[in-house]
């Protein structure tokens, strides 16, 4: 590859510390990266519900891939796939890339808070308000945070939560069980299992079961999430039902 | 030569030397200079809390009085570092509580602080004076109660942009009546109302108060009475800057209050601005050197009216509502301006905004001869504009440009912005910090590697074509300390070829690039003075082929070895197992030999 030759000329003084992986590794990594797609652009198409984290990424890229590609164009295609930018002729869509543009959450939240309270700007600006909620899982040593506006459905949220907490729960199992994390059903068991129940605290301060109300309503009213052990969630179900009845 | 200079003379000489850079240089001259210097150093700056252990620092600098620590990588500000990553300050506090009882100052950035840490600080350091937490999190107002109750000599409490669990506004009441030493208070990040009467009383009894930054929960009609307690203020952050309806009474009391603050030079806050209250500031505008309107949702015309009266402004932070026309006014009025930051009012909207373009930045560059530091968010840019800025403002030291949509080319020529940024690095020879954006090829990195010899920090996103880009930077930028990269097609080659360079830098961050797990392992094994940390939330990288790219990579030099507080999604490469096993075996063998 021309790139490698060019670089060799320039890196002569680093011969001592030059480290190599071996022939063919570059190509392999390119291949895999293509397949991997752009994991941080959470472009939530209607992927299969059963996807594990790895499957999700593979499926995503196979949809985006434009058939056979000349190896020389691999990198350019890689860039295109990664950005998932629309055709300039189409109106700009709001691609939600994590951490881009580089504006601190503190700043985003402050602006969003003002906009929603003063009704400054149109409805679409209100909808852009960031919706970070804390997520805790009983037994997990640390909290996570998710931006609910990044998702369009409960299944997307639960995929993401599964991914987030899988590293902890897998650590809990025997280390040999690492291969199991590739098993999609084990991951979904995590959340569908009667052992763990996702619940949330709503604007009124009540704890509800996740999934009871339409998605948009959930996003508006959810203040924080807690993935509880099943036994503790027993008291929640009936109340949730009542609340829904009262709302409708 | 050392023997002819008595130790006391050297100590006396060194006492005049404050800057850490100079003191670091002194410590390298000779062993005796190293010893004398280390015994007299009072202020320590640690740019990466994992680069060195608390014990090492305390041992070397027994007279430590002031410590600054930075924790999480910069991209944590943009949610690229998952929660639980690390940056816990507790072990530092614990160590210092035992060995440095005379500690006076703690300054932290992007670290996790707990209420336990705060309680430990409060009870361990009798002469504690300064507590600054920038972008920190993990603590609540309960911890603040401990500080308020116990730190009799506290001068500064600054919680800038930290995430505090706000349980109660009463923590302020815990400052005893006898407490009068407050100089600086920044509580702008708190969400709930603080006890206002306690605050007012506090302000009234602290005659040395210079900085007061309130939070948005402090109503505007309370501001005049608060200000009347501390007319000597130099820096003020207002609370909310509006009332339900405009009240002329509030306006006139504001005017009186502001006019009474003869030393006031710096303003910030301005949440929910009602423009009719802005004229209250007119009496003090001419004294202002720093104005932060970056949370103020107000129209360009209102901003211009204000800024037109601030000829002495050195620093201006503002939202893109200012528009090009507003920036032209800045260029005309603020001839001493040194720093400009223009933030996006609606970051997720990708529609072109014709009101704030590259023209605004060019105007300010042309009109403000002292401009050194720029942070600019916009939606379009051209190579011509960048070249113009570079040539007319070669004194720029910080240039951060963020074109909101990734891969945006020069809007006039549709070319990459390589030559524009190339002009920046070529002309601005003292450039220390640079952030790139827009459509960029490997060429821009060639320019950077060739010209940006003083560059210390570089931020790159969605740029470059190949490893050559990364190689240019790592091999060319002699003074590079921090490099952070996201979403670029950089892989193993450049990283491995420039492995030695990484030991001369504080840290390297790469996320959503093409660095393989195998390369990370190799780097970790071969470079013992580096911590090579792989962050991957999709599961253990061991369960995938070595050629698989890692999600995120954070490499930093360290003399403390791999850290022990990593969460389940972070792995240190090249550590433990084999090497540790070797040492254990050697130890056992040695024991056998002694039998």
């Amino acid at each position: 590859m021309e790139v490698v030759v060019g670089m060799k000329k320039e890196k002569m003084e680093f011969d001592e510390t030059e480290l190599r992986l071996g022939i063919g590794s570059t190509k392999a990594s390119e291949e895999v990266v293509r397949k991997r797609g752009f994991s941080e652009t959470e472009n939530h198409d209607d992927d299969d519900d059963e996807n594990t984290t790895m499957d999700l990424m593979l499926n995503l890229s196979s949809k985006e891939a434009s058939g056979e590609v000349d190896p020389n164009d691999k990198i350019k295609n890689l860039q295109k796939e990664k950005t998932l930018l629309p055709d300039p002729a189409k109106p700009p869509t709001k691609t939600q890339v994590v951490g881009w543009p580089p504006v601190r959450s503190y700043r985003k939240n402050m602006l969003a808070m003002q906009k929603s309270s003063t009704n400054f700007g149109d409805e679409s600006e209100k909808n852009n308000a960031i919706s970070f909620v804390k997520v805790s899982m009983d037994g997990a040593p640390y909290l996570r945070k998710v931006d609910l506006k990044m998702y369009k459905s409960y299944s997307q949220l639960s995929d993401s939560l599964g991914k987030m907490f899988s590293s902890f729960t897998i650590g809990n199992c025997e280390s040999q069980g690492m291969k199991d994390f590739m098993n999609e059903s084990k991951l979904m068991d995590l959340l569908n299992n009667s052992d763990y129940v996702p619940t949330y605290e709503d604007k009124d301060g009540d704890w509800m079961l996740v999934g009871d109300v339409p998605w948009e309503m959930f996003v508006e009213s959810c203040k924080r999430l807690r993935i509880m052990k099943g036994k503790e969630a027993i008291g929640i179900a009936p109340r949730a039902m009542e609340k829904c009845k009262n709302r409708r | 030569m050392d023997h002819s200079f008595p130790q006391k003379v050297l100590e006396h000489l060194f006492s005049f030397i404050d800057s850490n850079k100079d003191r670091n240089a002194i410590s390298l001259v000779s062993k005796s200079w190293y010893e004398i210097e280390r015994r007299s150093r009072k202020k320590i700056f640690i740019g990466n809390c994992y680069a060195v252990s608390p014990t090492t620092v305390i041992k070397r600098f027994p007279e430590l009085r002031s410590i600054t620590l930075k924790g999480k990588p910069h991209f944590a500000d943009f949610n690229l570092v998952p929660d639980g990553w690390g940056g816990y300050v507790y072990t530092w506090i614990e160590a210092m509580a035992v060995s440095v009882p005379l500690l006076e100052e703690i300054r932290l950035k992007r670290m996790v602080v707990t209420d336990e840490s705060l309680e430990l600080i409060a009870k361990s350091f009798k002469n504690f004076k300064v507590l600054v937490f920038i972008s920190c999190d993990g603590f609540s107002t309960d911890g603040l109660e401990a500080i308020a109750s116990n730190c009799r000599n506290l001068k500064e409490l600054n919680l800038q942009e930290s995430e505090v669990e706000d349980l109660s506004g009463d923590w302020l009441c815990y400052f005893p009546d006898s407490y009068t030493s407050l100089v600086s208070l920044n509580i702008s990040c708190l969400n709930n109302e603080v006890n206002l009467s306690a605050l007012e009383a506090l302000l009234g009894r602290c005659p040395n108060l210079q900085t007061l930054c309130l939070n948005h929960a402090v109503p505007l009609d309370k501001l005049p009475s608060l200000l009347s307690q501390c007319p000597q203020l130099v820096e003020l952050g207002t609370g909310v800057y509006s009332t339900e309806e405009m009240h002329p009474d509030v306006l006139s009391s504001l005017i009186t209050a502001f006019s009474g603050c003869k030393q006031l030079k710096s303003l910030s806050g301005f949440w929910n601005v009602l423009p009719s209250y802005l004229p209250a500031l007119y009496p003090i505008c001419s004294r202002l050197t720093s104005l932060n309107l970056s949370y103020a949702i107000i129209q360009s015309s209102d901003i211009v009216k204000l800024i037109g009266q601030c000829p002495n402004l050195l620093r201006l932070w503002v939202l893109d509502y200012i528009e090009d026309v507003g920036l032209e006014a800045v260029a005309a009025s603020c001839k001493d301006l040194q720093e400009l930051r223009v933030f996006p009012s609606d970051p997720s909207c990708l529609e072109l905004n014709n009101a704030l373009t590259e023209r605004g930045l060019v105007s300010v560059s042309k009109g403000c001869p002292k401009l050194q530091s720029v942070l600019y968010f916009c939606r379009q840019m051209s190579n011509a504009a960048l070249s113009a800025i570079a040539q007319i403002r070669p004194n720029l030291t910080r240039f951060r440009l963020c074109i909101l949509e990734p891969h945006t080319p020069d809007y006039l020529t549709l070319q990459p912005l390589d030559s524009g940024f190339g002009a920046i690095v070529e002309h601005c020879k003292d450039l220390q910090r640079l952030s790139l954006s827009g459509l960029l090829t490997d060429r821009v990195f060639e320019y950077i590697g060739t010209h940006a010899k003083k560059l210390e920090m570089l931020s790159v996103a969605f740029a470059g074509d190949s490893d050559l880009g990364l190689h240019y930077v790592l091999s060319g930028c002699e003074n590079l300390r921090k490099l952070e990269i996201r979403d670029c097609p950089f892989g193993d080659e450049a990283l491995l070829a420039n492995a030695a360079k990484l030991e001369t830098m504080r840290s390297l961050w790469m996320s959503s690039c093409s660095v393989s797990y195998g390369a990370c392992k190799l780097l970790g094994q071969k470079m013992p003075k580096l911590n090579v940390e792989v962050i991957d939330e999709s599961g253990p990288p061991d369960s995938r082929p070595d050629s698989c790219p890692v999600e995120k990579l954070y490499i930093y030099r360290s003399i403390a070895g791999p850290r022990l507080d990593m969460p389940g999604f972070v792995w240190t490469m090249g550590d433990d197992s084999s090497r540790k096993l070797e040492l254990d075996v050697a130890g056992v063998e040695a024991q056998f030999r002694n039998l």
Side-chain angles (χ1 to χ4, degrees):
Chain A
M1 276 177 63
E2 294 151 27
V3 167
V4 174
V5 167
M7 225 159 49
K8 272 189 181 155
K9 286 189 203 154
E10 272 156 305
K11 62 186 178 182
M12 279 184 302
E13 55 266 43
F14 291 114
D15 273 342
E16 280 170 23
T17 52
E18 227 172 66
L19 302 171
R20 292 230 202 278
L21 272 187
I23 314 161
S25 60
T26 320
K27 266 197 175 170
S29 63
E30 275 179 26
E31 282 263 337
V32 178
V33 176
R34 260 193 81 235
K35 283 184 181 171
R36 193 171 156 258
F38 182 35
S39 67
E40 295 205 288
T41 305
E42 305 255 15
N43 191 353
H44 290 284
D45 294 325
D46 299 319
D47 288 307
D48 308 332
D49 286 351
E50 311 159 57
N51 283 332
T52 58
T53 57
M54 292 307 294
D55 283 345
L56 192 69
M57 291 187 262
L58 288 171
N59 279 347
L60 187 67
S61 63
S62 65
K63 281 183 185 172
E64 307 291 340
S66 45
E68 283 306 306
V69 177
D70 185 314
N72 291 333
D73 292 336
K74 258 188 187 164
I75 293 183
K76 290 209 161 43
N77 279 345
L78 183 65
Q79 278 188 311
K80 281 192 196 155
E81 280 173 7
K82 276 186 165 184
T83 62
L84 300 173
L85 280 181
D87 197 325
K90 296 183 194 158
T93 52
K94 297 182 202 286
T95 48
Q96 302 232 29
V97 177
V98 173
W100 189 267
V103 177
R104 287 185 181 175
S105 329
Y106 175 78
R107 181 171 290 282
K108 279 191 215 169
N109 289 342
M110 282 294 161
L111 276 180
M113 191 185 66
Q114 290 184 67
K115 283 179 183 173
S116 58
S117 67
T118 60
N119 284 328
F120 189 92
D122 58 22
E123 278 303 309
S124 64
E125 281 188 10
K126 261 203 215 175
N127 291 336
N128 287 340
I130 308 298
S131 226
F132 275 107
V133 298
K134 291 188 182 168
V135 187
S136 61
M137 179 165 157
D138 286 359
Y142 43 79
L143 290 183
R144 309 306 298 273
K145 267 183 260 182
V146 288
D147 176 7
L148 292 179
K149 301 278 182 184
M150 296 273 291
Y151 310 103
K152 294 193 177 63
S153 72
Y154 282 113
S155 62
Q156 286 178 6
L157 174 62
S158 102
D159 278 349
S160 183
L161 290 179
K163 190 165 112 164
M164 250 182 239
F165 286 102
S166 66
S167 53
F168 165 69
T169 51
I170 298 306
N172 244 1
C173 314
E174 303 83 26
S175 54
Q176 298 316 309
M178 273 193 215
K179 288 185 184 165
D180 284 342
F181 105 91
M182 293 288 276
N183 182 339
E184 52 194 58
S185 57
K186 261 247 162 125
L187 252 190
M188 290 323 291
D189 274 350
L190 216 60
L191 291 162
N192 294 333
N193 202 335
S194 53
D195 275 356
Y196 284 102
V197 177
T199 62
Y200 71 100
E201 184 183 5
D202 73 2
K203 281 186 172 150
D204 302 331
D206 295 325
W207 285 91
M208 318 273 283
L209 278 180
V210 169
D212 276 352
V213 303
W215 172 255
E216 290 76 17
M217 200 187 265
F218 166 71
V219 173
E220 287 308 309
S221 60
C222 173
K223 265 176 41 189
R224 59 186 294 167
L225 279 161
R226 180 176 158 201
I227 304 176
M228 287 185 185
K229 288 250 162 86
K231 310 163 211 150
E232 298 195 27
I234 289 175
I236 293 182
R239 272 181 22 224
M241 296 299 281
E242 269 182 35
K243 250 201 159 170
C244 286
K245 284 184 198 152
N246 291 340
R247 279 203 181 118
R248 288 167 197 154
Chain B
M1 175 143 162
D2 289 337
H3 300 299
S4 62
F5 255 72
Q7 182 165 320
K8 286 225 154 32
V9 176
L10 286 172
E11 272 175 20
H12 183 69
L13 286 173
F14 293 174
S15 68
F16 291 103
I17 299 171
D18 243 357
S19 110
N20 276 312
K21 267 195 182 149
D22 292 338
R23 278 193 162 258
N24 290 344
I26 287 175
S27 67
L28 294 174
V29 168
S30 71
K31 261 195 168 159
S32 63
W33 280 43
Y34 174 91
E35 281 300 311
I36 298 169
E37 192 284 314
R38 79 174 185 87
R39 288 183 196 285
S40 59
R41 193 177 322 197
K42 299 208 160 43
K43 262 180 130 166
I44 309 290
F45 170 82
I46 295 168
N48 175 6
C49 65
Y50 290 118
V52 63
S53 75
T55 351
T56 309
V57 174
I58 294 169
K59 226 169 152 185
R60 179 174 169 189
F61 302 111
E63 294 301 308
L64 186 56
R65 296 285 177 271
S66 161
I67 189 163
T68 303
L69 287 164
K70 292 189 179 181
K72 300 180 201 173
H74 175 236
F75 274 175
D77 282 351
F78 317 125
N79 300 314
L80 288 180
V81 178
D83 277 351
W85 175 86
Y88 307 105
V89 78
Y90 190 76
T91 42
W92 286 87
I93 310 285
E94 208 180 28
M96 291 187 295
V98 172
S99 315
V100 194
L102 296 176
L103 190 71
E104 294 176 3
E105 304 182 358
I106 295 177
R107 293 180 172 83
L108 306 178
K109 191 167 187 182
R110 282 190 288 272
M111 292 198 77
V112 180
V113 187
T114 55
D115 286 344
E116 285 85 4
S117 304
L118 286 170
E119 280 151 24
L120 196 53
I121 292 171
K123 71 177 187 207
S124 310
F125 308 117
K126 295 301 163 207
N127 204 22
F128 198 71
K129 294 194 172 117
V130 172
L131 198 60
V132 177
F133 293 159
I134 302 177
S135 297
C136 295
D137 64 275
F139 61 104
S140 77
T141 42
D142 284 353
L144 296 178
E145 279 173 18
I147 298 289
S149 318
N150 295 293
C151 300
R152 298 295 150 102
N153 298 308
L154 192 72
K155 282 162 79 167
E156 181 171 350
L157 178 62
N158 182 344
L159 307 175
Q160 198 181 323
E161 286 173 45
S162 292
E163 212 178 287
V164 185
E165 199 178 347
D166 202 337
L167 301 169
S168 154
D170 286 338
W171 65 271
L172 256 181
C173 305
Y174 284 73
F175 282 111
D177 290 339
S178 53
Y179 169 73
T180 58
S181 43
L182 195 62
V183 174
S184 172
L185 181 67
N186 183 335
I187 52 170
S188 51
C189 61
L190 295 181
N191 274 321
N192 294 338
E193 238 188 59
V194 284
N195 187 311
L196 287 173
S197 46
L199 177 61
E200 198 169 329
L202 180 64
L203 302 181
R205 65 178 186 272
C206 295
N208 298 318
L209 191 70
Q210 294 200 320
T211 297
L212 176 66
C213 296
L214 304 166
N215 63 339
H216 62 81
V218 176
L220 186 59
D221 53 359
K222 267 287 174 179
L223 190 57
S225 53
L226 292 173
L227 285 178
S228 65
Q229 299 294 331
C230 46
Q232 75 282 8
L233 270 188
V234 175
E235 181 179 346
L236 171 71
T238 71
V240 67
Y241 206 73
S242 54
T243 49
E244 283 273 338
E245 285 157 10
M246 156 60 164
H247 289 293
D249 302 344
V250 175
L251 178 61
S252 50
S253 22
L254 275 174
I255 293 175
T256 312
F258 279 124
S259 310
C261 296
K262 305 283 185 208
Q263 324 279 358
L264 204 48
K265 289 215 184 81
S266 168
L267 286 178
S268 60
F270 298 109
W271 290 289
N272 290 103
V273 177
L274 191 54
S276 357
Y277 285 125
L278 288 174
L281 304 171
Y282 293 169
I284 55 165
C285 280
S286 58
R287 284 194 287 268
L288 289 182
T289 55
S290 172
L291 185 56
N292 181 351
L293 293 170
S294 65
Y295 296 102
I297 302 184
I298 45 177
Q299 311 285 18
S300 177
S301 47
D302 291 318
I303 306 177
V304 169
K305 262 188 242 164
L306 195 57
I307 292 180
Q309 307 186 48
C310 304
N312 292 312
L313 222 48
L314 300 178
R315 192 166 88 145
L316 175 65
W317 291 22
V318 75
L319 284 169
D320 57 12
Y321 295 125
I322 193 172
E323 301 180 357
D324 288 339
V325 63
L327 289 172
E328 275 161 30
V330 171
S333 316
C334 309
K335 291 305 186 186
D336 286 339
L337 196 70
Q338 292 174 2
E339 178 179 327
L340 174 71
R341 293 195 192 190
V342 179
F343 294 94
S345 53
D346 191 1
S348 48
C349 172
L350 297 180
E351 277 172 33
L352 273 186
N353 174 1
N354 288 324
L356 188 277
T357 69
E358 81 284 4
R359 287 188 290 272
L361 184 56
V362 174
S363 313
V364 176
S365 304
K366 285 186 175 160
C368 303
K370 303 197 185 153
L371 191 67
Q372 284 175 6
S373 171
V374 170
L375 170 62
Y376 201 77
F377 285 81
C378 60
R379 290 175 171 87
Q380 70 183 46
M381 186 50 62
S382 66
N383 285 309
L386 285 171
S387 285
I389 292 166
Q391 290 178 62
I392 203 159
R393 229 32 333 117
N395 47 321
L396 285 173
T397 54
R398 285 168 170 73
F399 190 76
R400 291 191 279 166
L401 179 68
C402 180
I403 304 166
L404 287 171
E405 185 159 336
H407 302 282
T408 304
D410 176 327
Y411 77 100
L412 295 171
T413 64
L414 298 183
Q415 293 300 301
L417 290 168
D418 300 334
S419 58
F421 280 106
I424 294 280
V425 292
E426 193 186 335
H427 293 273
C428 305
K429 302 206 188 300
D430 290 327
L431 197 68
Q432 284 172 13
R433 186 169 179 182
L434 177 65
S435 298
L436 305 172
S437 58
L439 182 64
L440 296 165
T441 71
D442 283 343
R443 174 126 285 167
V444 73
F445 298 109
E446 189 178 0
Y447 292 140
I448 293 173
T450 308
H451 295 287
K453 294 306 181 186
K454 298 263 179 76
L455 193 66
E456 296 180 12
M457 182 170 179
L458 178 65
S459 308
V460 185
F462 305 103
D465 306 314
S466 74
D467 271 52
L468 207 48
L470 180 57
H471 174 68
Y472 283 134
V473 170
L474 289 177
S475 56
C477 297
E478 290 154 8
N479 281 299
L480 195 63
R481 291 186 300 117
K482 289 181 278 184
L483 179 58
E484 46 186 26
I485 301 171
R486 61 164 297 176
D487 295 280
C488 296
F490 299 148
D492 302 339
E493 308 259 356
L495 198 57
L496 297 177
N498 291 285
K501 171 71 174 175
L502 299 176
E503 276 181 9
T504 67
M505 292 165 53
R506 183 189 296 173
S507 65
L508 167 66
W509 168 278
M510 291 179 75
S511 56
S512 302
C513 297
S514 315
V515 181
S516 73
Y517 180 53
C520 296
K521 281 198 289 190
L522 188 58
L523 205 54
Q525 281 159 19
K526 297 290 181 185
M527 310 293 293
K529 291 191 217 154
L530 294 179
N531 281 357
V532 178
E533 292 182 9
V534 168
I535 301 169
D536 208 317
E537 290 183 277
S538 60
D542 262 334
S543 54
R544 271 163 274 151
D546 273 6
S547 53
C548 258
V550 298
E551 270 181 15
K552 300 171 188 179
L553 176 62
Y554 185 51
I555 302 174
Y556 56 91
R557 64 179 175 188
S558 174
I559 57 171
R563 58 185 177 112
L564 303 170
D565 59 359
M566 293 177 301
F569 51 86
V570 178
W571 293 267
T572 300
M573 303 289 104
D575 149 54
D576 55 40
S577 25
S578 54
R579 271 183 45 238
K580 206 170 169 219
L581 191 60
E582 278 169 32
L583 291 170
D584 287 346
V585 167
V588 170
E589 280 177 2
Q591 282 182 0
F592 272 115
R593 266 181 258 124
N594 288 337
L595 283 174

